[in-house]
Amino acid sequence: MIGWNDVALLEPKYRREQIYRAWFDAGVKGIGDISTLPKDLREKFYALLWMPIKLEKLLDSKLDDTKRALLRLSDGEMVETVLMGRQSKKISPSAEKRYTICVSSQVGCPMKCVFCATGRAGFKRNLSMEEIVAQFRFWQEYLRENRKGEIGNVVFMGQGEPLLNYEAVKNAMNILIKFANLGHTKITLSTAGVVAGMEKMIDDPDFPPIRFALSLHSAIPDDRKKLIPSQPEDFFEFLIGWSKKYHIKFASRTHFVGLEYMFIGGINDSDRHLKALIKLASKLGRVRLNLIPYNSIDNDKSVKSADFEIIKSWQQTLMKSGFTTTVRLSQGSDIAAACGQLKNSYDNR
Ligand code: SAH
């Protein structure tokens, strides 16, 4: 199937950039509206896809300001993206609300992490750069229509493993930074730890200085391997060496290695796990820890999050040990929009 970018690539760069700019322009509803493009080009592109995704269903959380959009792609596949609104304490209540959107990078996911619904559903295909950017454009349009506020942050924590779709994800991030006026620190890429992709981003001059987060979930190699079976041999040695290179490449006050730690009761929440985490984190340079309660998937009640008191007490110990540590409150769990729950379901879990 020929995408419009296949045609667009035949055009000079400045022409493509006119289109990228128009993607985010509130006054442009289609390629035909780009007045800076000559008429013959508008006609040539017009037949091709301006918006490669269509809304299939929008789910609205009753618990909090979270929405999940189920999107139909042009080949019939489906993917989803999440809008999360939380008023930042830093800005006044009258200030415009900033939203975080969670975007998908693949249809399904091949990583097979045991705790994640997306992996259980299997892998279909990579998303194109246009399909990734279109998720941003979809929510931008939605917020404009509903006069609700703006997209403040983009997190690559939807379906898929972004580092397995390296080029499309990188291009999408660069386009958001350049044409949607999104600051590079407003984008977070989360990975289960794809070694090849992590190495590539360090060597790649075009890789933007976005925020990086690793889904760690255990600092004990054998335990982590049980949760994330794709983990290669000697991953922790690799991680320690890699983070040194990361800090050199992305040296700035705003950069750190993000570590996500999801709590599954009785699995990764013991004192032994906490000690291992402190030991590992202290070898990774500037880190920031994000503690996440486990969200149940597939209505499986046998696996539960650790108690919130345990998570809070870890936070205190980690802070005392000198690590900036936040606790992520899950949003949208009633509409299967929380971390790990994305599997294209039409209603709730
Ligand atoms: N493939 C990437 C991005 C998608 S997952 C990655 O693994 O990082 C986004 C985050 O949600 C990851 O930290 C992931 O480990 C976490 N997650 C997955 N399943 C979860 C669940 N059931 N409860 C809470 N967090 C979960």
Side-chain angles (χ1 to χ4, degrees), residues 102 105 109 111 113 115-117 156-162 189-193 213-217 228 260-263 292-297 328 338-341:
C102 177
S105 55
C109 185
M111 298 302 279
C113 301
F115 46 81
C116 180
F156 282 79
M157 298 188 188
Q159 287 188 14
E161 169 46 55
L189 182 147
S190 174
T191 178
L214 173 73
S215 294
L216 185 65
H217 308 330
I228 303 178
E260 293 162 290
Y261 200 102
M262 167 201 64
F263 287 80
I292 316 167
Y294 168 79
N295 296 310
S296 65
I297 57 170
R328 187 193 297 166
C339 289
Q341 295 182 329

Side-chain angles (χ1 to χ4, degrees), residues 10-11 26-27 73 112 130 144 147 197 212 238 242 276 292:
L10 302 174
E11 301 298 333
L73 307 171
K112 299 195 167 61
E130 293 86 343
R144 275 176 188 152
R147 293 205 172 66
F212 174 89
F238 161 78
W242 177 87
I292 316 167

Side-chain angles (χ1 to χ4, degrees), residues 6 31 69 94 120 177 183 205 221-222 246 256 265 285 287 290 324 348:
D6 299 321
I31 209 95
S94 59
R120 286 191 188 178
I177 291 166
D222 289 350
Y246 176 87
F256 51 83
V287 295
N290 193 209
T324 308
N348 49 32

